[in-house]
Amino acid sequence: MDIFKYVDDVVDYYRETRPHYKEIARTLQTQLEKIVVAKSEYTLSVTGRVKSAESLREKLIRNSYYRLHTTKEEIVANIQDVIGLRIECKFTEDEAYVYSLFLDLFPLTDDQIYYYNEDYPKIRFKLSEQQPVKQKNGFDIYKIDGRYEDKEGGRNIRVNFEVQIKSMIDMFWSEIEHKIIYKNPSYFMAQDQVSEAMMSIKENLDMVDRQLHTLYKRYKREDNSQMYYRKETIQTMLSKLVHDIFARKMKSELGFIVQFTEICDSIIEYIFVVNNAAQMEDFGRVMMDTFYLTGNLSRQEISFREPVEIEREISTKNGFIDTMAVTIQRLVNVDFKWHLYFVILFHLEGGGAAECLETFLRYYKGRLASNGAVDRLREVFPKEAAAQIKRDLMTEMAYVFRRHADISLLYRDGIDALSGALSKTVANIVRDKPDWNKDKSMYFLYLNNSVELAPR
């Protein structure tokens, strides 16, 4: 049919110009991060996408764009969402706040329709329309039409794009709706039943959103006098959440559940430290990130039978870290609790296992090296000598760790036991003022014998 030939010509043209649209999309994303995200009092992020050629073909046929414009250039130029940007926020209530930022940050207009910021006049937003807008499914959405204007090769160019503002819950809902309805041809066979079920899911998600928002505001607004207590409470709650996710996965795959509460406590404490969670706002940020992450993990396949693969050797030229890495790599696939610890850690952290392990070991070394007793070495030794003794003691601590090879050494009590042994050893060194290179083996033996782990 001529219709499909014409559509094919438009799609072929779009394939040629798509790299240009991708470049503009990157520019738009960068500018929104500079203008909107940087000015927000809440945590926001911007994502972008450019329609695939096949998605464009489907849209052309479904909406009969070929009847509305004369040339293929006009057709592509007038599709509003060839470039799609999404500003992601935590809660549904935050969507209105983000839209209000647009009204404040893009106040200028030449036509009372499209508005812009004087520092970024190339980007204009259609802020003349009432928001949010009603979707076909009956739900509201903040969806803003945009226009990118520039000069190129002596001619004016204008590219349309679309910005959506979505909370975590709305993003999750949209993904379900897209897969079940828009990408599922069997939906029409049972349209009423599916619609009722989808409506029920949306109502439940909205309820979860409200509960999470209430919880977030409650913890965020606590005064600093209660900060430590609240941090402990949030960590306990997140540890329970992580535990429940992995316990269900373990029961499903293995048919039983081992006790691993302390593993979750230890990993959540680590996550708070490496994410610099020092204030109430930080606690809320880490809490919400963990909610989002565990929500994704609950839908993933997680195996407890497959070995943990660390894709490369850990070689940092730091005696403590490299020795610890060898110990952990030796234990991680021969002892189930060690295996479980790093299965959970690597899934929560994402990225490469080797990089994640390095970050964890730097954190662990920092926990021990921050022992205030070590600073006393400078009272009786020159600066360089004190630094050398500290390095030697830390390297020996890694061998102490290897000799005990007890999973509890990764928990708070285990770290405290190692730190206590280090404090006692340093106290003896400061008292004795030994010839270090000659006598250090004696203090290494004392360090090993001073580690007192609670019976398990």
Side-chain angles (χ1 to χ4, degrees), residues 127-248:
L127 300 177
S128 54
E129 296 181 334
Q130 187 70 31
Q131 294 283 352
V133 298
K134 192 74 70 177
Q135 300 177 88
K136 291 180 181 178
N137 60 16
F139 298 117
D140 290 338
I141 184 173
Y142 285 89
K143 184 169 65 173
I144 308 169
D145 290 343
R147 202 165 67 192
Y148 176 80
E149 299 177 351
D150 200 1
K151 292 185 181 294
E152 189 176 280
R155 63 187 181 88
N156 294 327
I157 64 167
R158 178 182 292 175
V159 175
N160 291 335
F161 63 92
E162 179 182 278
V163 175
Q164 295 184 3
I165 304 170
K166 287 195 170 185
S167 65
M168 290 191 303
I169 290 295
D170 280 341
M171 285 186 286
F172 179 58
W173 158 258
S174 297
E175 183 180 339
I176 294 174
E177 185 183 43
H178 189 71
K179 289 181 178 178
I180 290 181
I181 295 180
Y182 296 112
K183 295 297 184 181
N184 184 0
S186 63
Y187 159 69
F188 298 101
M189 302 295 293
Q191 185 169 349
D192 290 342
Q193 296 94 315
V194 173
S195 295
E196 290 176 6
M198 294 294 288
M199 185 71 71
S200 175
I201 292 171
K202 183 65 165 67
E203 290 172 355
N204 287 325
L205 287 174
D206 287 340
M207 180 182 68
V208 170
D209 176 86
R210 290 191 295 272
Q211 291 174 336
L212 287 177
H213 196 195
T214 300
L215 188 63
Y216 177 75
K217 289 190 293 185
R218 174 186 172 188
Y219 285 119
K220 180 181 174 183
R221 293 174 180 174
E222 294 292 342
D223 60 55
N224 288 337
S225 65
Q226 298 293 319
M227 185 179 294
Y228 178 78
Y229 170 73
R230 295 307 179 194
K231 181 180 180 181
E232 292 283 297
T233 303
I234 294 171
Q235 286 182 343
T236 299
M237 178 182 63
L238 293 180
S239 176
K240 177 69 165 57
L241 176 63
V242 171
H243 180 278
D244 289 351
I245 292 287
F246 283 90
R248 286 195 296 271

Side-chain angles (χ1 to χ4, degrees), residues 250-268:
M250 189 186 303
K251 179 67 174 177
S252 174
E253 183 184 17
L254 303 180
F256 61 86
I257 300 173
V258 301
Q259 199 284 328
F260 65 104
T261 302
E262 289 173 302
I263 289 177
C264 297
D265 291 344
S266 170
I267 291 173
I268 290 297

